[in-house]
Amino acid sequence: MALLALENVSKSFGALKVTDGITLSVAEGETLGILGPNGAGKTTLFNLISGDIRADSGRVIFSGADIGSHPPHRRCRLGIGRSYQVPQPFGAMTVFENLVAAASFGAQKPENETYPDTVEILRETGLLPKANRLAGGLTLLDRKRLELARALATEPRLLLLDEIAGGLTEPE
């Protein structure tokens, strides 16, 4: 059984058909890349999977259940984590607090139980030295790292990375 399956998923914005009958499946542990030029509908596809927008037709199935009517927070709690092209941290909170919020909400753990995993994710993403900095003051590279870290903190079974390196320089 596929972890994620899209069955004939379509989405239009007015007369513009952005996705047209997309059918695909992703197995547990599989890596799948979505390629295409700007405006091809990649972010829209991620938005359809994460629940940020709803499909006009077709089905989004996660772990065997049709989740097409589920809001984003419910999909997150089911195990769909994602990053956004443009990082959206809680700017007035620290890097650490951003991760604790993601872990508490997405992984549904009491705050104090999130601390060990949060510290490990900070270490893995290179953000541990910046844990007490306000997220709003981070460089683009560190905001991208924070996007990844927050998605990981939700303990996803499916991780959607939307242009995680977009806007970064070659060395970054």
Side-chain angles (χ1 to χ4, degrees), residues 129-168:
K130 299 172 184 176
N132 293 318
R133 290 194 189 166
L134 292 180
L138 295 174
T139 65
L140 178 59
L141 174 59
D142 286 335
R143 286 186 314 226
K144 291 279 191 169
R145 287 179 174 162
L146 181 55
E147 271 299 289
L148 173 60
R150 290 189 324 162
L152 291 171
T154 67
E155 298 183 0
R157 293 178 58 207
L158 175 72
L159 180 60
L160 305 171
L161 300 175
D162 193 356
E163 299 210 22
I164 195 71
L168 299 177

Short mmCIF file of all heavy atoms in Angstrom, two decimals, residues 129-168:
data_model
loop_
_atom_site.label_atom_id
_atom_site.label_comp_id
_atom_site.label_asym_id
_atom_site.label_seq_id
_atom_site.Cartn_x
_atom_site.Cartn_y
_atom_site.Cartn_z
N PRO A 129 23.84 26.34 17.56
CA PRO A 129 24.46 27.57 18.09
C PRO A 129 23.54 28.79 18.02
O PRO A 129 23.80 29.79 18.67
CB PRO A 129 25.69 27.77 17.19
CG PRO A 129 25.96 26.44 16.57
CD PRO A 129 24.62 25.77 16.46
N LYS A 130 22.48 28.70 17.25
CA LYS A 130 21.56 29.83 17.07
C LYS A 130 20.21 29.58 17.75
O LYS A 130 19.25 30.30 17.50
CB LYS A 130 21.37 30.10 15.58
CG LYS A 130 22.69 30.46 14.93
CD LYS A 130 22.60 30.55 13.44
CE LYS A 130 24.01 30.82 12.93
NZ LYS A 130 24.10 30.85 11.51
N ALA A 131 20.14 28.60 18.61
CA ALA A 131 18.88 28.20 19.23
C ALA A 131 18.18 29.33 19.97
O ALA A 131 16.95 29.38 19.98
CB ALA A 131 19.12 27.03 20.19
N ASN A 132 18.93 30.25 20.55
CA ASN A 132 18.33 31.32 21.35
C ASN A 132 18.19 32.65 20.59
O ASN A 132 17.81 33.65 21.19
CB ASN A 132 19.13 31.52 22.64
CG ASN A 132 18.99 30.32 23.55
OD1 ASN A 132 17.91 29.77 23.70
ND2 ASN A 132 20.10 29.90 24.13
N ARG A 133 18.46 32.62 19.30
CA ARG A 133 18.28 33.82 18.48
C ARG A 133 16.83 33.92 18.03
O ARG A 133 16.16 32.91 17.80
CB ARG A 133 19.17 33.78 17.24
CG ARG A 133 20.62 33.95 17.57
CD ARG A 133 21.42 34.23 16.34
NE ARG A 133 22.84 34.19 16.66
CZ ARG A 133 23.78 34.12 15.76
NH1 ARG A 133 23.47 34.10 14.48
NH2 ARG A 133 25.04 34.09 16.13
N LEU A 134 16.38 35.16 17.84
CA LEU A 134 15.04 35.34 17.28
C LEU A 134 15.04 34.90 15.83
O LEU A 134 15.94 35.25 15.06
CB LEU A 134 14.60 36.81 17.38
CG LEU A 134 14.34 37.34 18.79
CD1 LEU A 134 13.92 38.80 18.73
CD2 LEU A 134 13.28 36.50 19.49
N ALA A 135 14.04 34.13 15.46
CA ALA A 135 13.96 33.57 14.11
C ALA A 135 13.86 34.64 13.04
O ALA A 135 14.34 34.47 11.92
CB ALA A 135 12.79 32.60 14.01
N GLY A 136 13.25 35.77 13.38
CA GLY A 136 13.09 36.85 12.41
C GLY A 136 14.39 37.49 11.98
O GLY A 136 14.44 38.14 10.93
N GLY A 137 15.46 37.29 12.74
CA GLY A 137 16.74 37.90 12.41
C GLY A 137 17.71 36.96 11.72
O GLY A 137 18.87 37.31 11.51
N LEU A 138 17.26 35.77 11.35
CA LEU A 138 18.15 34.80 10.71
C LEU A 138 18.42 35.15 9.26
O LEU A 138 17.60 35.79 8.59
CB LEU A 138 17.52 33.40 10.76
CG LEU A 138 17.32 32.77 12.14
CD1 LEU A 138 16.56 31.45 12.01
CD2 LEU A 138 18.66 32.57 12.85
N THR A 139 19.56 34.68 8.75
CA THR A 139 19.86 34.80 7.32
C THR A 139 18.91 33.89 6.55
O THR A 139 18.26 33.00 7.13
CB THR A 139 21.30 34.36 7.03
OG1 THR A 139 21.42 32.96 7.33
CG2 THR A 139 22.32 35.16 7.83
N LEU A 140 18.85 34.06 5.22
CA LEU A 140 18.00 33.19 4.40
C LEU A 140 18.40 31.73 4.56
O LEU A 140 17.54 30.86 4.72
CB LEU A 140 18.05 33.59 2.92
CG LEU A 140 17.23 32.70 1.98
CD1 LEU A 140 15.76 32.69 2.36
CD2 LEU A 140 17.43 33.13 0.53
N LEU A 141 19.69 31.44 4.55
CA LEU A 141 20.14 30.06 4.73
C LEU A 141 19.62 29.48 6.04
O LEU A 141 19.08 28.37 6.06
CB LEU A 141 21.67 29.99 4.68
CG LEU A 141 22.29 28.62 5.00
CD1 LEU A 141 21.80 27.55 4.01
CD2 LEU A 141 23.81 28.70 4.99
N ASP A 142 19.75 30.22 7.11
CA ASP A 142 19.29 29.70 8.41
C ASP A 142 17.77 29.63 8.50
O ASP A 142 17.23 28.75 9.15
CB ASP A 142 19.89 30.52 9.55
CG ASP A 142 21.37 30.21 9.76
OD1 ASP A 142 21.80 29.09 9.39
OD2 ASP A 142 22.09 31.07 10.29
N ARG A 143 17.07 30.54 7.83
CA ARG A 143 15.60 30.43 7.79
C ARG A 143 15.19 29.19 7.02
O ARG A 143 14.22 28.50 7.39
CB ARG A 143 14.97 31.68 7.19
CG ARG A 143 14.99 32.86 8.13
CD ARG A 143 14.23 34.03 7.56
NE ARG A 143 14.62 34.21 6.16
CZ ARG A 143 14.91 35.36 5.59
NH1 ARG A 143 14.82 36.47 6.26
NH2 ARG A 143 15.27 35.42 4.34
N LYS A 144 15.92 28.83 5.95
CA LYS A 144 15.64 27.60 5.20
C LYS A 144 15.92 26.38 6.08
O LYS A 144 15.15 25.42 6.10
CB LYS A 144 16.49 27.54 3.92
CG LYS A 144 16.12 28.55 2.87
CD LYS A 144 14.93 28.08 2.07
CE LYS A 144 14.72 28.97 0.85
NZ LYS A 144 13.74 28.38 -0.06
N ARG A 145 17.02 26.45 6.84
CA ARG A 145 17.31 25.35 7.77
C ARG A 145 16.21 25.24 8.82
O ARG A 145 15.82 24.13 9.21
CB ARG A 145 18.66 25.60 8.46
CG ARG A 145 19.84 25.39 7.57
CD ARG A 145 21.13 25.66 8.30
NE ARG A 145 22.26 25.31 7.47
CZ ARG A 145 23.49 25.74 7.68
NH1 ARG A 145 23.75 26.52 8.71
NH2 ARG A 145 24.46 25.38 6.88
N LEU A 146 15.73 26.38 9.29
CA LEU A 146 14.66 26.37 10.28
C LEU A 146 13.38 25.78 9.68
O LEU A 146 12.66 25.05 10.37
CB LEU A 146 14.43 27.77 10.84
CG LEU A 146 13.35 27.90 11.91
CD1 LEU A 146 13.58 26.96 13.09
CD2 LEU A 146 13.26 29.35 12.38
N GLU A 147 13.09 26.09 8.43
CA GLU A 147 11.92 25.48 7.76
C GLU A 147 12.02 23.97 7.80
O GLU A 147 11.07 23.27 8.12
CB GLU A 147 11.82 25.94 6.30
CG GLU A 147 11.06 27.17 6.02
CD GLU A 147 9.61 27.13 6.41
OE1 GLU A 147 8.79 26.44 5.77
OE2 GLU A 147 9.25 27.83 7.37
N LEU A 148 13.20 23.46 7.43
CA LEU A 148 13.43 22.02 7.45
C LEU A 148 13.31 21.48 8.87
O LEU A 148 12.63 20.47 9.11
CB LEU A 148 14.81 21.69 6.88
CG LEU A 148 15.26 20.24 6.98
CD1 LEU A 148 14.30 19.30 6.24
CD2 LEU A 148 16.68 20.09 6.45
N ALA A 149 13.92 22.16 9.82
CA ALA A 149 13.89 21.71 11.22
C ALA A 149 12.47 21.66 11.75
O ALA A 149 12.08 20.70 12.43
CB ALA A 149 14.76 22.63 12.08
N ARG A 150 11.68 22.68 11.44
CA ARG A 150 10.29 22.69 11.93
C ARG A 150 9.49 21.54 11.32
O ARG A 150 8.69 20.91 12.00
CB ARG A 150 9.62 24.03 11.64
CG ARG A 150 10.19 25.14 12.48
CD ARG A 150 9.44 26.43 12.40
NE ARG A 150 8.88 26.76 11.11
CZ ARG A 150 7.92 27.65 10.92
NH1 ARG A 150 7.40 28.30 11.94
NH2 ARG A 150 7.48 27.92 9.72
N ALA A 151 9.72 21.28 10.04
CA ALA A 151 9.02 20.16 9.40
C ALA A 151 9.43 18.84 10.06
O ALA A 151 8.58 18.00 10.34
CB ALA A 151 9.30 20.14 7.90
N LEU A 152 10.71 18.67 10.32
CA LEU A 152 11.18 17.45 10.97
C LEU A 152 10.63 17.31 12.39
O LEU A 152 10.36 16.19 12.84
CB LEU A 152 12.71 17.42 11.00
CG LEU A 152 13.41 17.26 9.65
CD1 LEU A 152 14.92 17.46 9.80
CD2 LEU A 152 13.10 15.90 9.05
N ALA A 153 10.46 18.42 13.08
CA ALA A 153 9.97 18.39 14.46
C ALA A 153 8.55 17.85 14.56
O ALA A 153 8.14 17.39 15.62
CB ALA A 153 10.05 19.78 15.07
N THR A 154 7.80 17.88 13.48
CA THR A 154 6.43 17.35 13.51
C THR A 154 6.41 15.82 13.41
O THR A 154 5.35 15.22 13.46
CB THR A 154 5.56 17.94 12.38
OG1 THR A 154 6.04 17.48 11.11
CG2 THR A 154 5.53 19.45 12.43
N GLU A 155 7.59 15.21 13.27
CA GLU A 155 7.76 13.76 13.13
C GLU A 155 6.94 13.22 11.95
O GLU A 155 6.12 12.32 12.09
CB GLU A 155 7.39 13.04 14.43
CG GLU A 155 8.27 13.45 15.59
CD GLU A 155 7.97 12.70 16.87
OE1 GLU A 155 7.06 11.84 16.91
OE2 GLU A 155 8.67 12.99 17.86
N PRO A 156 7.20 13.75 10.75
CA PRO A 156 6.41 13.34 9.60
C PRO A 156 6.75 11.95 9.09
O PRO A 156 7.89 11.49 9.22
CB PRO A 156 6.79 14.38 8.54
CG PRO A 156 8.21 14.72 8.87
CD PRO A 156 8.25 14.70 10.39
N ARG A 157 5.75 11.32 8.52
CA ARG A 157 5.97 10.08 7.77
C ARG A 157 6.21 10.43 6.31
O ARG A 157 6.84 9.67 5.59
CB ARG A 157 4.74 9.18 7.90
CG ARG A 157 4.55 8.65 9.31
CD ARG A 157 3.32 7.79 9.44
NE ARG A 157 3.38 6.65 8.53
CZ ARG A 157 2.30 6.04 8.04
NH1 ARG A 157 1.09 6.46 8.36
NH2 ARG A 157 2.43 5.02 7.23
N LEU A 158 5.69 11.57 5.88
CA LEU A 158 5.89 12.10 4.54
C LEU A 158 6.41 13.52 4.69
O LEU A 158 5.80 14.33 5.38
CB LEU A 158 4.57 12.11 3.76
CG LEU A 158 4.62 12.74 2.37
CD1 LEU A 158 5.39 11.83 1.41
CD2 LEU A 158 3.21 12.97 1.84
N LEU A 159 7.54 13.81 4.05
CA LEU A 159 8.16 15.13 4.16
C LEU A 159 8.18 15.78 2.78
O LEU A 159 8.79 15.25 1.85
CB LEU A 159 9.59 15.00 4.72
CG LEU A 159 10.38 16.29 4.90
CD1 LEU A 159 9.67 17.24 5.86
CD2 LEU A 159 11.78 15.94 5.41
N LEU A 160 7.51 16.92 2.67
CA LEU A 160 7.45 17.67 1.42
C LEU A 160 8.39 18.87 1.54
O LEU A 160 8.19 19.72 2.40
CB LEU A 160 6.02 18.17 1.17
CG LEU A 160 4.91 17.12 1.15
CD1 LEU A 160 3.55 17.79 1.10
CD2 LEU A 160 5.10 16.17 -0.03
N LEU A 161 9.40 18.92 0.69
CA LEU A 161 10.37 20.01 0.72
C LEU A 161 10.18 20.84 -0.54
O LEU A 161 10.55 20.42 -1.63
CB LEU A 161 11.80 19.46 0.80
CG LEU A 161 12.11 18.60 2.02
CD1 LEU A 161 13.52 18.02 1.93
CD2 LEU A 161 11.92 19.39 3.30
N ASP A 162 9.62 22.02 -0.36
CA ASP A 162 9.29 22.89 -1.49
C ASP A 162 10.44 23.88 -1.72
O ASP A 162 10.59 24.85 -0.99
CB ASP A 162 7.98 23.64 -1.22
CG ASP A 162 7.43 24.32 -2.45
OD1 ASP A 162 8.08 24.30 -3.51
OD2 ASP A 162 6.32 24.88 -2.35
N GLU A 163 11.25 23.59 -2.73
CA GLU A 163 12.39 24.44 -3.11
C GLU A 163 13.22 24.80 -1.89
O GLU A 163 13.50 25.98 -1.64
CB GLU A 163 11.92 25.67 -3.88
CG GLU A 163 11.22 25.28 -5.17
CD GLU A 163 11.36 26.30 -6.27
OE1 GLU A 163 12.30 27.11 -6.24
OE2 GLU A 163 10.52 26.26 -7.17
N ILE A 164 13.63 23.78 -1.16
CA ILE A 164 14.36 23.97 0.08
C ILE A 164 15.66 24.73 -0.13
O ILE A 164 16.12 25.43 0.77
CB ILE A 164 14.59 22.62 0.80
CG1 ILE A 164 15.02 22.81 2.27
CG2 ILE A 164 15.58 21.75 0.04
CD1 ILE A 164 13.94 23.32 3.16
N ALA A 165 16.24 24.68 -1.32
CA ALA A 165 17.48 25.40 -1.60
C ALA A 165 17.24 26.64 -2.47
O ALA A 165 18.18 27.32 -2.84
CB ALA A 165 18.50 24.48 -2.27
N GLY A 166 15.99 26.94 -2.75
CA GLY A 166 15.66 28.08 -3.61
C GLY A 166 16.16 29.39 -3.02
O GLY A 166 15.95 29.66 -1.84
N GLY A 167 16.82 30.19 -3.84
CA GLY A 167 17.31 31.49 -3.41
C GLY A 167 18.66 31.47 -2.74
O GLY A 167 19.21 32.52 -2.41
N LEU A 168 19.21 30.27 -2.53
CA LEU A 168 20.51 30.18 -1.88
C LEU A 168 21.62 30.23 -2.92
O LEU A 168 21.42 29.89 -4.08
CB LEU A 168 20.61 28.86 -1.08
CG LEU A 168 19.59 28.68 0.04
CD1 LEU A 168 19.77 27.32 0.70
CD2 LEU A 168 19.71 29.79 1.06
#
